[in-house]
Amino acid sequence: TPALADDPPELFRRTGERIIAAPVRRILDVLTDFDNYTGCVPLVSASHVVRRYGPRSADVYTLLDMPWPVPNRWVIFHVTTAETRNRVRVSLRKLSGDVNSGQIDWSQEPLSGGRTRVRIRLLLDPNLPVPDSWLKGVLDSAPIDMLQSIADRSTQTRSAQLHAATAGASAPTASTP
């Protein structure tokens, strides 16, 4: 993926695109469900709002579940939403935390038939004591995994989403070393 002029060269960059069979508003609801980023962002094991600026803007704490023996990392992202006549953009920018830099940008473009083209750009300088090969492997699948999660959550009914959130909160989790 080519670097943009304002991107530091040491960042890991990944992009992805997918057409999702859901309207922009439903996808926007998923992307601004700040307390449930665990279902959309790989390695995020917890998320919650630290400060809310409006229904679609907040500072969001995320805990990154790293493989043993690497300690977990945390990031507070400032999340903003910008809407134009034909696009919606959701951006996450690192405010603080124990990674050097992090940024996720989603853009959404409405298509005919209630479908939406969703694009993601992920930039990460994790400052982690893990091999680059492991990190690149995780990041190579991250856009695909995120877009699949967003598609799944965007096409669920509201009652199914509530049931999944409740079941997920009480279900045991396994970890892989």
Side-chain angles (χ1 to χ4, degrees):
T1 305
L4 300 178
D6 60 345
D7 291 347
E10 67 277 3
L11 293 180
F12 288 108
R13 292 173 192 78
R14 298 296 183 268
T15 61
E17 179 178 310
R18 180 176 181 157
I19 295 174
I20 297 176
V24 168
R25 287 283 161 220
R26 188 164 302 152
I27 294 167
L28 184 59
D29 288 345
V30 170
L31 294 176
T32 56
D33 184 7
F34 305 124
D35 292 320
N36 289 305
Y37 276 176
T38 55
C40 289
V41 182
L43 301 179
V44 171
S45 61
S47 66
H48 65 268
V49 173
V50 175
R51 181 175 181 190
R52 189 173 290 278
Y53 300 97
R56 307 253 189 233
S57 179
D59 294 340
V60 179
Y61 167 88
T62 58
L63 180 64
L64 303 176
D65 185 17
M66 303 307 299
W68 184 89
V70 178
N72 291 344
R73 301 290 191 207
W74 64 275
V75 181
I76 295 177
F77 285 107
H78 179 65
V79 184
T80 58
T81 305
E83 299 184 50
T84 62
R85 187 168 43 97
N86 62 348
R87 293 230 172 157
V88 177
R89 181 177 175 184
V90 177
S91 297
L92 286 78
R93 301 283 188 282
K94 178 203 170 216
L95 281 180
S96 61
D98 55 8
V99 297
N100 286 340
S101 181
Q103 178 178 325
I104 304 172
D105 291 309
W106 285 285
S107 68
Q108 304 159 75
E109 176 185 357
L111 302 173
S112 63
R115 299 172 309 138
T116 303
R117 179 184 322 277
V118 179
R119 292 183 178 103
I120 183 172
R121 184 174 78 128
L122 173 66
L123 303 171
L124 182 65
D125 178 12
N127 186 30
L128 300 173
V130 296
D132 283 355
S133 60
W134 176 86
L135 188 59
K136 287 178 183 178
V138 169
L139 292 178
D140 282 347
S141 66
I144 295 165
D145 295 344
M146 288 176 165
L147 289 166
Q148 181 63 52
S149 295
I150 292 164
D152 292 346
R153 291 184 60 204
S154 298
T155 56
Q156 286 179 340
T157 64
R158 183 67 183 143
S159 62
Q161 287 175 351
L162 291 173
H163 177 19
T166 304
S170 60
T173 59
S175 61
T176 305

